[in-house]
Each structure stands twice: as structure tokens, then as C-alpha cells.
Amino acid sequence: MSNPFRSALFACAAALLAGAASAAVVAYDYVTLEVPDGWSRLDERAMAVFASPDGALTVTVLTRLGDDDPDDALESFVEAAEAGDRAAARGEAEEVHEEPFELWRQETATRLSDGRIVRRLYESADAAGTATIVAVSGEQAAWDRDGADARAMLASLFVAAPDAAPPPALAVDALPGDGGIEGLYMATGRRSFLAAATRAWTEGERTEVLLFDPLGEVYRGAPRRLDATAFEACAGAQAWRCGRYRIEGAEINLRWADGTTERRTFAEDGVELRLGGRSYRRAPARSANPEGLYEARDDFNAGLAGAAGAKASVRFQDDGRILIEGFESFRAAHAGGFASGASAGGRFKVDGRSMSLVYVRGASEVLGFAEFPDSDGALILLGGMVFERR
């Protein structure tokens, strides 16, 4: 049986040879689309989100949204996504095509509470009775700069049957001169995103994380561990997180396993990296063990809060004991989210960028541990999750 993903890859290769704009075919679940050079994937774990070079325009892909017809799925999704905003303009949903999959489109303009106008374009696709939504969102200035690229991505969209296997991600070849940076670097800022739990547009604090190995490997996102294990575990559906980097004068060349490439302006100043005009600060060396109560904050949109809105917290005591509420282990939290009434206790020990937990019941975990730069320990990254001191 032919693989539709492989056909999409061949089609993209032919376009590139014909002189089309440089782009890479990227697979997410059963969807492929061509991502232009310079665009990057963000660490939004319940969906795939691609951002323009300056981050102001985003393309969000959500899959497996039920078995509604695509026009019905589009209507209900837009209503939920923009429920908290005032409609400045809302176009009618229109059918784009029926083959090789049914596709509907709708454009909106919404006025946010602070008066800004955000333009959004939604597409709803159906393949084998499964709904898929793609949403492009940004202010008019972002559309003016990068709207042509975003529309080209939508035009390249291919939706296969949900049981179709995506093409394997390929390891990124090493190049002479790769490497030169070491450590965990973080950038924080407010931006708009679709919340995993409600699928409504929300504006809030988001964290971007890059883990650099001095020999040339780079990991994007927050891994559960902050050592070589992060790169070893980067395979399959998570392969897009791994790549290699090379500093080329005033630029850094980031080459990712999903086939995308980012060339960003680059400058290094002590504990700060300037990548594409954005500041990434290096996580400081541990100064002391964490103490007190920390609550989980879903900076990576994993949808960790369960259906009942269960919260999670970690309490570090000065005698080395740890009390966990809302989940029984970090492994369980990542697999199934938080659960009311779940809890665990044990002991912890911090060693550099690792924290070892030994639970009372006998199980153990080794987790990546880091303080946020300039937070004085109020924000920590633990096991790939963000916790804030209360």
C-alpha cells in the first residue's frame, strides 16, 4: 500500500528542484505541511505550533478532534476558540475542496480586551472520518510580514488517514565547526496560544528552552532530564526536538531532525545568547536546595490539569523529604496528567542539573532540575515541568 506521507515528500522534493521557495515537509501525527526556512516549532505539547521568524504569526495544528463533519467541526471550534473575544469581523465558512480530503475554511478578526485586532484563518479537514483543525493567528503587521508563508503552509497541507505511518525522522549530519555552546538557556514572554484544556485563545506567560551540548547537539523544549539522556531519548514523534547547530560569525545555523532549518542572528554575552533578536538566559548553577511549596504551571500547554481541574504541587522540606500532591510520580503525570487525591512522598537529592527522588513505596526517578534565570529560585524546571514557589 502506498504511503501518502512519502508521496508528499516526493512532491515537495520536486518543487524544490523546480526552484520553489525553500521549505521542508514536516509530519505531525497523520498531517504533513511544508514549513519555510526560518520558521520554528514551539514546545506546545498537546498540538503542533509553528512560529514565524519573529514569533508574531503562528500556525497551530490539532488532530483527532472527533468524527464531526469538517464544516460542523469548524463551526464548533471557532465558537470555542473565540468565546472570550469580541468579533470585529467573521467571514462565512466555505468549502475549499472535497478531494483528496474534504477541507473547509473560515477567516475572522477579533478585538482583544486591550483593543488589539487579531486576524485568524481556520481550516477544518476530514480524512477517514477524523477531524483536523489548522489555525493561523496574528496581528495585521505579522500577516503583512509573514502571511504569504503561512498561506503557503496551508496550501501544502496534506491530511492522511489517521492510521497512516509518518516518514521516519532522520539524524542530522554533523558538520565541521559544530558546537561551542554549553548549558540550558531559557527565554520567557507573553504570547497568544490555544489552551489545551479549553481550546480557547489565551494570552499568558510562555517559556522557551534550548539545551546545548558543546559538541554540536541542541534540544528544543524542556526534557525530563538535562544530561545526555535528553538526546538519547529524542526519537520517533519527539525527533523534531533534536538537531545540531553551528555558529557562523554573526549567525547561528540550527538544523533539526524534522528537516527544518533556522538561521538566526547570533551574539553571546556571558550568560546571555541573542538568537534572532531574542534573549535567552543561561540557567544558573544551583545555589541551594529548593525549599517550600511549589505549584505546577503549564507553560508548555501539555494539558496536565485533568478534566476535574486537578492541581499539582511539590513541597520540599529542609530535611530532604518531598511531598507531592496531584500525581504519584513525574512519569505518571506526563502519561496521564494530574488527578485529584493522588499523592506521594519520599526523599530528594540535588546534584548539579539532576534531582534524584526515592519514593516511600520504593520506586525512584532521576529528573532534570534548574532554576529560571533571575528568578531567585521562585521558578524551577523539574522533570520537564515548570513549578512556581507559593
Side-chain angles (χ1 to χ4, degrees):
M1 183 175 68
S2 63
N3 187 331
F5 283 106
R6 197 169 301 280
S7 299
L9 286 172
F10 286 144
C12 180
L16 292 175
L17 290 174
S22 180
V25 174
V26 175
Y28 171 65
D29 202 358
Y30 51 81
V31 170
T32 57
L33 69 170
E34 296 175 24
V35 179
D37 281 356
W39 285 62
S40 58
R41 184 163 168 182
L42 304 179
D43 189 7
E44 301 283 351
R45 298 180 184 177
M47 57 202 74
V49 180
F50 303 90
S52 60
D54 64 1
L57 193 65
T58 58
V59 176
T60 301
V61 183
L62 301 97
T63 59
R64 304 179 188 272
L65 298 180
D67 57 2
D68 285 345
D69 291 336
D71 53 337
D72 293 332
L74 181 61
E75 180 182 7
S76 60
F77 189 90
V78 171
E79 287 297 325
E82 303 197 353
D85 300 326
R86 289 184 296 165
R90 183 167 296 183
E92 295 294 327
E94 298 178 348
E95 186 175 28
V96 179
H97 55 67
E98 293 185 352
E99 296 293 341
F101 52 87
E102 190 174 353
L103 182 71
W104 286 71
R105 177 180 298 161
Q106 185 173 4
E107 296 194 45
T108 70
T110 59
R111 186 183 302 276
L112 306 184
S113 58
D114 60 6
R116 288 177 296 144
I117 300 292
V118 175
R119 284 184 53 203
R120 294 177 180 133
L121 189 158
Y122 299 90
E123 289 192 345
S124 176
D126 173 86
T130 301
T132 298
I133 295 287
V134 183
V136 187
S137 178
E139 296 181 51
Q140 184 60 53
W143 280 94
D144 292 342
R145 287 190 301 270
D146 296 298
D149 277 348
R151 290 184 182 276
M153 290 174 67
L154 293 182
S156 72
L157 178 72
F158 186 86
V159 181
D163 59 354
L170 301 176
V172 181
D173 291 334
L175 295 178
D178 281 355
I181 309 173
E182 183 174 13
L184 183 77
Y185 288 80
M186 298 179 173
T188 58
R190 293 183 67 82
R191 63 172 172 81
S192 178
F193 63 97
L194 275 168
T198 62
R199 293 179 185 150
W201 290 105
T202 305
E203 186 161 311
E205 198 75 15
R206 316 307 289 154
T207 297
E208 293 184 33
V209 182
L210 291 170
L211 176 63
F212 290 97
D213 177 90
L215 299 181
E217 290 185 297
V218 58
Y219 183 106
R220 56 182 169 189
R224 297 191 200 179
R225 295 183 62 166
L226 301 177
D227 52 21
T229 307
F231 302 100
E232 295 169 359
C234 199
Q238 298 299 310
W240 65 273
R241 296 183 178 278
C242 281
R244 295 191 65 83
Y245 69 95
R246 182 169 62 171
I247 301 169
E248 301 172 350
E251 282 191 335
I252 187 169
N253 184 1
L254 300 162
R255 313 180 312 274
W256 301 104
D258 61 6
T260 58
T261 299
E262 296 175 67
R263 286 186 177 273
R264 301 197 205 178
T265 56
F266 172 81
E268 185 175 9
D269 181 14
V271 298
E272 181 181 23
L273 299 180
R274 296 288 297 181
L275 306 182
R278 183 152 200 205
S279 173
Y280 291 78
R281 301 276 294 174
R282 187 169 65 212
R286 177 179 62 90
S287 57
N289 287 343
E291 293 184 8
L293 177 66
Y294 285 76
E295 290 185 355
R297 197 175 82 177
D298 194 2
D299 278 26
F300 306 117
N301 211 15
L304 289 173
K311 300 293 185 180
S313 65
V314 178
R315 184 182 295 276
F316 301 99
Q317 299 183 333
D318 57 11
D319 61 358
R321 288 186 296 163
I322 186 171
L323 299 175
I324 295 173
E325 297 290 340
F327 58 109
E328 295 180 348
S329 70
F330 282 80
R331 187 177 296 107
H334 281 283
F338 302 146
S340 297
S343 63
R347 302 194 68 83
F348 75 96
K349 180 180 180 181
V350 176
D351 182 11
R353 292 194 303 204
S354 294
M355 178 180 290
S356 298
L357 301 185
V358 179
Y359 297 105
V360 171
R361 65 180 184 275
S364 63
E365 293 184 285
V366 178
L367 309 169
F369 169 75
E371 292 183 2
F372 274 56
D374 306 317
S375 75
D376 194 27
L379 283 172
I380 62 173
L381 185 69
L382 181 60
M385 295 163 28
V386 176
F387 290 84
E388 185 172 7
R389 188 167 56 207
R390 295 302 183 190

